Amino acid sequence: MAPPDRSDTPRDTGILEEAGIQSDSNMRHNAERLASWLEFLLHPEEHEYDRTVIYGTEFGGEGHKKEEPGPVAPSSSDQPGTVPSDAQLPFESVLEGYQISQFIHGMSAVASPVVESADNALAPGAAALSNIWWMGDKRVPSLVDQFQQLGWEGDASTVTFDFLLRLQTVTGQVHKLAEQLHDVIPKYAVVIKGVRHNLDEAAAGCVRAFEKKFAEKPATELSVDWGAVILAGIAAAAVTYMTAGTALILEAAITSAWSTAFTDAAGDLLKPSGGAVSGYWWRDLAHSYLRKQADILEDGKNEIDQLNRKVDGLIKYFNNDQDIQKFLADYGPRP
């Protein structure tokens, strides 16, 4: 249900574009519905429905405020039915002081990154790490085995074989790092997806709460549940995807690899949960929603921090591994 005399689309969609919530975003529908209700609630001067009436100012006092379902006439007025504007007590929005941008702040924070399709910044890295894993697990050990069957003897053969043995040791260590890093990469994308889904569900829950509050005007606090997902145990979750690749990372391989990695990670990391937008006054409902928005963003940040710590640990392991660093010193690029 849209606000009276309005649609599910706000009159001004520019604020959504400015927030990066474009027309093709999965969050756009609920962002529009929420923004339309907020436009309505923030501008009671455009209608004769819910507003906060300021009582007592007609007698020179500072007045007190109370939510009302429509205009209120001064006590000295005897206007039946709809109160003319010149006979209304002063009023303001039931959400006075709030701005629409506060309610779509969370959506804006995660609206831009491309994560589900293969044309994102993480996908080539996942495919490259898959190739590194494959080289360390299959190709270099196979090369060492085949070299021993060549029957090549002499000093050059000895030097070459020593090099291959060192290479096998180093690629084995790098293989372990690549395997763990490969597990981490799609999890960044899944965190973004999960946060988006949660924020979208929370916005839908807020809209349902607004609709119920307006239509039913309940005498007690109302609560509207919304289904969502939680981001649970990302650092420990198992991503089983590993694939044999080729030395060349082709676009088709990246697409296939990312689709599998993302799907596997999402299956392990996104688990059903739920939440509620609750309260009695309009401001209660707004505060409840904004609290949920902040909690969702905080949960997402904590999950990203876990991943960052894991990556930082793997980088330190690489930098401190004596075999790897000695090999790079002996055979790496010269300045």
Side-chain angles (χ1 to χ4, degrees):
M1 178 184 75
D5 304 319
R6 292 174 182 251
S7 72
D8 282 330
T9 302
R11 295 174 180 176
D12 178 16
T13 61
I15 191 169
L16 300 179
E17 277 84 36
E18 290 174 9
I21 309 171
Q22 304 301 330
S23 58
D24 59 350
S25 169
N26 291 336
M27 300 182 290
R28 178 70 179 222
H29 175 63
N30 285 322
E32 287 184 348
R33 295 171 64 213
L34 181 57
S36 183
W37 268 101
L38 291 168
E39 273 187 344
F40 169 76
L41 294 170
L42 287 169
H43 293 285
E45 73 280 2
E46 297 179 0
H47 57 77
E48 295 193 346
Y49 297 98
D50 295 62
R51 77 262 328 277
T52 295
V53 174
I54 306 172
Y55 290 91
T57 55
E58 68 271 31
F59 302 112
E62 294 183 1
H64 66 278
K65 300 177 180 180
K66 181 184 176 184
E67 283 186 9
E68 298 286 1
V72 175
S75 57
S76 59
S77 173
D78 189 22
Q79 297 289 342
T82 301
V83 181
S85 59
D86 60 356
Q88 292 181 23
L89 289 178
F91 62 89
E92 63 186 26
S93 165
V94 292
L95 298 180
E96 187 71 24
Y98 284 110
Q99 298 179 2
I100 294 177
S101 58
Q102 293 174 267
F103 292 77
I104 60 173
H105 163 70
M107 292 180 174
S108 177
V110 294
S112 299
V114 176
V115 295
E116 295 187 51
S117 61
D119 56 340
N120 71 81
L122 297 172
L129 285 167
S130 177
N131 283 351
I132 293 172
W133 172 86
W134 178 67
M135 288 290 288
D137 189 58
K138 302 292 184 185
R139 295 299 292 171
V140 173
S142 175
L143 179 60
V144 172
D145 292 341
Q146 292 175 18
F147 184 85
Q148 292 176 294
Q149 300 171 13
L150 293 177
W152 183 19
E153 298 179 355
D155 292 342
S157 172
T158 300
V159 171
T160 302
F161 188 64
D162 288 344
F163 169 78
L164 290 177
L165 288 177
R166 291 184 63 186
L167 179 62
Q168 183 177 25
T169 298
V170 168
T171 54
Q173 297 298 91
V174 173
H175 157 260
K176 296 175 184 177
L177 295 172
E179 183 176 11
Q180 294 184 65
L181 280 171
H182 182 275
D183 287 354
V184 168
I185 283 182
K187 295 174 187 176
Y188 280 102
V190 172
V191 171
I192 299 300
K193 176 182 172 64
V195 170
R196 282 178 181 165
H197 181 79
N198 284 355
L199 290 169
D200 187 58
E201 289 291 336
C206 187
V207 169
R208 290 196 298 274
F210 283 175
E211 291 171 346
K212 189 172 183 178
K213 163 77 172 169
F214 181 82
E216 300 179 13
K217 296 178 173 54
T220 59
E221 177 176 317
L222 64 90
S223 180
V224 175
D225 293 334
W226 48 274
V229 296
I230 56 173
L231 305 171
I234 281 184
V239 179
T240 58
Y241 163 72
M242 282 294 166
T243 183
T246 61
L248 297 177
I249 307 174
L250 304 177
E251 183 176 347
I254 293 175
T255 301
S256 175
W258 186 253
S259 175
T260 306
F262 185 87
T263 300
D264 287 350
D268 283 336
L269 305 180
L270 302 182
K271 302 181 183 297
S273 180
V277 175
S278 59
Y280 177 72
W281 306 107
W282 286 104
R283 299 185 78 85
D284 293 340
L285 297 177
H287 179 76
S288 176
Y289 166 79
L290 292 173
R291 180 68 265 166
K292 298 296 181 186
Q293 177 183 242
D295 289 344
I296 292 167
L297 291 175
E298 181 65 20
D299 288 345
K301 177 183 179 299
N302 290 339
E303 298 292 354
I304 292 291
D305 286 345
Q306 284 190 64
L307 297 179
N308 288 342
R309 286 192 293 270
K310 185 168 184 177
V311 170
D312 184 60
L314 292 172
I315 291 173
K316 289 178 180 177
Y317 181 91
F318 179 89
N319 290 334
N320 293 329
D321 187 281
Q322 294 183 359
D323 290 328
I324 293 174
Q325 296 307 315
K326 184 67 166 61
F327 185 87
L328 292 176
D330 291 344
Y331 301 106
R334 302 296 180 185

